[in-house]
Amino acid sequence: MKTAINGVNYYYQWLTDYEANRPTLVCLHGFTGTSQTFVPVFQRDRDRNILAIDLIGHGQTDSYVHPYRYQMECLCQDIALLTEQLGISKFSLLGYSMGARVALGFTCLFPQKIQKLLLESGSPGLKSKTERMTRKCSDEHLAGFIMSHSIEAFVDKWEKLSLFDSQKQLSCKIQATLRKERLSQQAFGLACSLWFMGTGVQPDFWQELDKIEIPTLLIVGELDHKFQRIAQNMQEKQQNMSIKIVKNAGHCVHLEKPEIVEEVVYSFLVSYTDQLMGNNKI
């Protein structure tokens, strides 16, 4: 389904049958992804509405809009309006990678709307100006490559990143589906996401972590050492955050271990007990 938010047509889909009297979880995908990435995770209806959104520049949501619409604050405002338009005043929020950065930004901007927060392979951004400038240059270089080459050439380059090495262990069918999703993207949308919403230009949310009072779960793969360190550093800033380390999984945990992620997500949403606190491998 599509709806117009401030002139941008956003695509969204309900992964479970919508019922007005039950809680909602909103899911935000990563860079080069779509809402479809969460379908394998939520195969069963567990008395919860699951809403997945194609973020601006991705999937079936508009790409060819003013580049400034890609800025983090604009995107978060759009998500707020979209959920309000659907009659959802409060909800839990799950984001993966780029979507986790958006989810964290949304929670900082609209804390009154979020009940529980789940960040999969997420980051609050970069702390130092030097780090941000270096990453900004890297993102701009990649955006330039996307705009000057075919989408196939970019996907070939993207899939060779060490971040995704563990995905080579997936079945040929799943790898083909993932590649098809990446190839379906618009070059302009991907480039604008890097230019205006990349890690190098996003706000630094490290200083906001101690203000987040809602239950927060950080999901990371055992093989993704970089984001394990980020999660641990986040927990040091905000002791109320809990971490789940999923065994034999890399950066995209929900793709590699969908059944486990489903169980982790529903368990966290249903209850927030002592067993969810601390660093646990499953």
Side-chain angles (χ1 to χ4, degrees):
M1 293 175 278
K2 283 190 176 185
T3 186
I5 305 294
N6 286 333
V8 178
N9 293 305
Y10 277 86
Y11 175 83
Y12 64 92
Q13 60 175 315
W14 294 103
L15 304 186
T16 56
D17 292 334
Y18 174 76
E19 294 183 21
N21 62 341
R22 63 184 189 178
T24 296
L25 171 68
V26 176
C27 302
L28 307 178
H29 61 79
F31 182 67
T32 75
T34 70
S35 57
Q36 197 68 18
T37 189
F38 293 107
V39 171
V41 180
F42 301 105
Q43 292 289 304
R44 292 176 286 175
D45 193 327
R46 297 196 184 184
D47 197 34
R48 190 171 295 271
N49 299 319
I50 308 294
L51 174 66
I53 302 169
D54 282 2
L55 298 179
I56 190 169
H58 288 73
Q60 297 183 55
T61 290
D62 287 349
S63 293
Y64 294 100
V65 297
H66 196 291
Y68 285 177
R69 293 303 307 279
Y70 283 79
Q71 294 179 82
M72 179 77 76
E73 186 172 351
C74 289
L75 174 57
C76 291
Q77 289 173 348
D78 286 351
I79 294 171
L81 290 173
L82 191 157
T83 50
E84 288 170 8
Q85 196 174 97
L86 295 176
I88 309 167
S89 58
K90 297 195 72 173
F91 52 90
S92 294
L93 187 55
L94 164 65
Y96 159 65
S97 198
M98 179 186 76
R101 292 190 288 109
V102 176
L104 181 57
F106 186 94
T107 302
C108 292
L109 288 169
F110 301 98
Q112 74 281 4
K113 289 183 174 293
I114 304 302
Q115 297 166 319
K116 292 185 178 182
L117 178 64
L118 302 94
L119 305 177
E120 176 191 344
S121 304
S123 167
L126 300 170
K127 296 180 181 180
S128 75
K129 183 177 180 180
T130 300
E131 286 179 308
R132 289 194 294 272
M133 287 302 298
T134 300
R135 181 56 184 266
K136 182 174 181 288
C137 290
S138 175
D139 286 345
E140 288 177 348
H141 179 77
L142 182 57
F145 181 92
I146 292 171
M147 293 300 290
S148 60
H149 293 73
S150 67
I151 195 70
E152 289 85 358
F154 161 68
V155 171
D156 288 343
K157 180 182 179 73
W158 186 248
E159 290 178 341
K160 290 176 183 176
L161 293 177
S162 59
L163 193 67
F164 306 126
D165 280 348
S166 57
Q167 294 180 13
K168 296 172 185 176
Q169 307 303 316
L170 295 169
S171 70
C172 293
K173 181 179 179 181
I174 293 176
Q175 289 190 59
T177 300
L178 179 58
R179 182 174 175 82
K180 182 179 179 180
E181 181 180 55
R182 289 167 171 162
L183 289 171
S184 70
Q185 307 293 349
Q186 298 291 327
F188 183 79
L190 296 181
C192 283
S193 294
L194 291 168
W195 281 324
F196 297 95
M197 199 173 58
T199 305
V201 295
Q202 78 158 60
D204 173 10
F205 293 120
W206 283 100
Q207 302 305 315
E208 303 297 320
L209 295 182
D210 58 357
K211 301 175 185 177
I212 297 177
E213 300 179 348
I214 58 171
T216 301
L217 179 64
L218 310 176
I219 304 171
V220 290
E222 180 185 35
L223 306 177
D224 189 357
H225 303 297
K226 174 182 176 180
F227 279 83
Q228 277 190 59
R229 289 193 297 271
I230 291 173
Q232 290 160 0
N233 291 336
M234 291 174 69
Q235 190 183 54
E236 289 175 4
K237 289 283 293 182
Q238 174 50 278
Q239 296 295 319
N240 290 330
M241 291 182 172
S242 56
I243 301 174
K244 281 291 184 180
I245 301 174
V246 179
K247 289 182 178 179
N248 301 316
H251 189 66
C252 190
V253 189
H254 73 270
L255 176 71
E256 299 178 37
K257 304 292 180 182
E259 297 88 357
I260 292 177
V261 171
E262 179 192 37
E263 196 59 45
V264 167
V265 169
Y266 277 120
S267 296
F268 180 72
L269 293 176
V270 170
S271 62
Y272 187 65
T273 62
D274 290 340
Q275 68 182 32
L276 284 171
M277 297 301 293
N279 300 338
N280 298 305
K281 288 189 179 183
I282 59 174

